[in-house]
Amino acid sequence: MGINTQLKTLLLSASLSALVSLPPAHAGQNNRQDQAPMASAKEAKIKHWRVPNSELKFTDISELKTAFIDSTPAAKQDGIAVGKLGLDAGNNEQIVALAKEIAAGKHGKFDSLLIAHRDKLLFESYFSRGRIDLPHPQSSASKVYISTIVGRAIQLGYLTMADLDKPLVSFLKNLDPSRFTKGAEKITLHKAMLMRSGIRISDEQAEKFRQSSPELKGQGLLQAYLEASAPITEASQSFKYQNDPMLVMQVIEAVVPGSAKKFIKTELLDKMGISNYGWSTHPVSGLPGDASMTSRAMLKFGKLAMNNGLWNGEQLIPAAYIARATDRLIYPNEAEIFGGGEAVSNQGYGYYWWGTDLTYDGKSYASASAQGGGGMYIMLIAELDLVIVVTAHERENTTQQLIAERILPAFVSQPDKLASH
């Protein structure tokens, strides 16, 4: 995904205090073959890649002795319907063979692989540091959650679709426009969600802004960015993987009642039945930053998008917004794209969603995906009604190629079987 060094440093230095975290009770790690592995009481406290000044780190989670591979996922009363791979749809043997290869370390350091078809979870597996009840760091997949929050604000009337094309600074009343760099008004919500704000600051300034101080809290950080940036021009507003989601979160904080933190919980996660998660606080602005989600929670976000914003009969996100967010609105250059392969082409970008064509047997299937460094994916393949979730760590990003080579064939060659039983 082309995450630059500056952004990586910022992510790693982020304060990781959880926005909310309500894990279930734990009786210790369970590695029985017939039950998905659970986190120990100690591991359940871990919500992010690392917790500063603490011994609790995601990297310290013990490796599973035995991978968990399940073609008949258990119903958990968590709002996720389940089915049987090979009976409802798909080729059980092909997917299980892939999972066994993952367990043997042939495809990098996967932590989980889940596959849902027609709203039913048909396959669930955990490897390495994966646990069914442990929120996994999302890295840049967190951006899709921010995009979803914008959609929720639009659904509730705190923003409109037309507002997407308004200057971002028009929503923020605590700024001093007289000190902005030239062209600051060219930054719209639309462009910020395409990673095209055009803000360009030096490494020295970026390092300075990583040092928290009272004047940089809240909208103060954006004020500092807009003062220090080079002029915002058409040329500078090219795709660049940087801290643009922070700009969008500033708008959410400004337009919703209460706070962005409360809004995320009550108007989105509570609605979706997601209570076991982590959401860090940005170390400078004090606003919500990066998220950690369980694999099943990730699946819920995929299902929400696949169903055009509808959740349990309630329209949480406007369908028109979902369509735009998951569309390929721009096509970044190759230097900004991370992960590909012979069967992966036409990679584009929407509102923090990536779009890709995956090819199998001469036919291309359009996909949309949340992507996070280290190997996090929520992938939608609408034509096949598939939602695929992957969590991983420290691995080469060949996931899209692997999906094209090994998961597409299992569903293309095995059509939906619901009509036959």
Side-chain angles (χ1 to χ4, degrees), residues 1 13 51 53 56 83 103 147 156 221 259 302 319 322 335 347 388 395 401:
M1 285 172 281
S13 64
V51 181
N53 304 316
L56 298 176
S147 177
L156 293 175
L221 181 59
S259 67
I322 292 288
Q347 297 200 58
I388 301 166
R395 64 181 300 270
Q401 180 68 24

Side-chain angles (χ1 to χ4, degrees), residues 320-353:
Y321 179 84
I322 292 288
R324 187 185 298 189
T326 57
D327 194 10
R328 279 171 260 190
L329 303 176
I330 59 172
Y331 289 85
N333 62 51
E334 288 296 323
E336 295 286 356
I337 294 174
F338 181 58
E342 293 182 358
V344 181
S345 61
N346 298 325
Q347 297 200 58
Y349 202 67
Y351 289 161
Y352 301 143
W353 286 88

Side-chain angles (χ1 to χ4, degrees), residues 233-309:
T233 66
E234 183 176 347
S236 77
Q237 287 191 305
S238 57
F239 181 92
K240 183 177 176 62
Y241 225 75
Q242 57 180 14
N243 209 20
D244 286 2
M246 179 272 293
L247 313 182
V248 177
M249 190 58 75
Q250 295 273 6
V251 173
I252 294 297
E253 176 81 3
V255 302
V256 302
S259 67
K261 175 181 176 179
K262 181 180 179 182
F263 184 79
I264 291 168
K265 180 183 184 301
T266 60
E267 290 297 342
L268 187 61
L269 299 181
D270 285 356
K271 295 278 187 179
M272 297 172 67
I274 299 173
S275 59
N276 181 19
Y277 64 95
W279 209 308
S280 70
T281 298
H282 192 282
V284 180
S285 70
L287 299 179
D290 293 319
S292 293
M293 295 283 172
T294 66
S295 299
R296 282 194 170 210
M298 294 170 69
L299 182 67
K300 288 185 175 186
F301 275 93
K303 287 161 60 72
L304 178 66
M306 182 68 86
N307 292 324
N308 299 310

Side-chain angles (χ1 to χ4, degrees), residues 124-363:
E124 184 172 25
S125 56
Y126 296 93
F127 318 89
S128 190
R129 298 174 186 153
R131 308 289 191 271
I132 190 172
D133 59 341
L134 184 62
H136 195 291
Q138 298 293 287
S139 297
S140 286
S142 301
K143 294 177 174 62
V144 159
Y145 307 141
I146 295 174
S147 177
T148 307
I149 293 161
V150 172
R152 183 62 179 151
I154 292 174
Q155 179 67 32
L156 293 175
Y158 301 119
L159 291 169
T160 68
M161 293 291 287
D163 285 339
L164 297 171
D165 293 315
K166 292 181 180 179
L168 186 142
V169 296
S170 68
F171 301 98
L172 307 172
K173 307 305 181 185
N174 297 328
L175 301 178
D176 182 357
S178 68
R179 296 158 58 189
F180 290 168
T181 188
K182 184 178 180 181
E185 74 284 351
K186 297 179 183 293
I187 306 173
T188 61
L189 267 174
H190 169 79
K191 290 186 176 179
M193 287 195 292
L194 291 176
M195 304 298 281
R196 293 179 57 199
S197 70
I199 290 177
R200 299 291 185 267
I201 59 176
S202 67
D203 291 341
E204 292 76 17
Q205 286 287 355
E207 180 60 35
K208 178 181 178 181
F209 295 153
R210 279 191 284 272
Q211 308 304 314
S212 182
S213 58
E215 64 269 18
L216 296 182
K217 291 295 182 182
Q219 295 181 23
L221 181 59
L222 180 53
Q223 178 76 46
Y225 268 78
L226 293 178
E227 290 181 26
S229 175
I232 309 297
T233 66
E234 183 176 347
S236 77
Q237 287 191 305
S238 57
F239 181 92
K240 183 177 176 62
Y241 225 75
Q242 57 180 14
N243 209 20
D244 286 2
M246 179 272 293
L247 313 182
V248 177
M249 190 58 75
Q250 295 273 6
V251 173
I252 294 297
E253 176 81 3
V255 302
V256 302
S259 67
K261 175 181 176 179
K262 181 180 179 182
F263 184 79
I264 291 168
K265 180 183 184 301
T266 60
E267 290 297 342
L268 187 61
L269 299 181
D270 285 356
K271 295 278 187 179
M272 297 172 67
I274 299 173
S275 59
N276 181 19
Y277 64 95
W279 209 308
S280 70
T281 298
H282 192 282
V284 180
S285 70
L287 299 179
D290 293 319
S292 293
M293 295 283 172
T294 66
S295 299
R296 282 194 170 210
M298 294 170 69
L299 182 67
K300 288 185 175 186
F301 275 93
K303 287 161 60 72
L304 178 66
M306 182 68 86
N307 292 324
N308 299 310
L310 192 67
W311 187 263
N312 288 340
E314 181 180 359
Q315 196 72 42
L316 294 185
I317 315 294
Y321 179 84
I322 292 288
R324 187 185 298 189
T326 57
D327 194 10
R328 279 171 260 190
L329 303 176
I330 59 172
Y331 289 85
N333 62 51
E334 288 296 323
E336 295 286 356
I337 294 174
F338 181 58
E342 293 182 358
V344 181
S345 61
N346 298 325
Q347 297 200 58
Y349 202 67
Y351 289 161
Y352 301 143
W353 286 88
W354 288 89
T356 310
D357 289 338
L358 304 177
T359 301
Y360 168 68
D361 196 24
K363 177 176 171 58

Side-chain angles (χ1 to χ4, degrees), residues 338-399:
F338 181 58
E342 293 182 358
V344 181
S345 61
N346 298 325
Q347 297 200 58
Y349 202 67
Y351 289 161
Y352 301 143
W353 286 88
W354 288 89
T356 310
D357 289 338
L358 304 177
T359 301
Y360 168 68
D361 196 24
K363 177 176 171 58
S364 290
Y365 297 85
S367 73
S369 60
Q371 300 184 16
M376 268 55 72
Y377 275 85
I378 306 171
M379 177 169 282
L380 319 177
I381 305 175
E383 184 173 344
L384 299 176
D385 214 336
L386 286 178
V387 179
I388 301 166
V389 166
V390 171
T391 58
H393 65 278
E394 300 174 13
R395 64 181 300 270
E396 293 296 321
N397 198 345
T398 57
T399 301

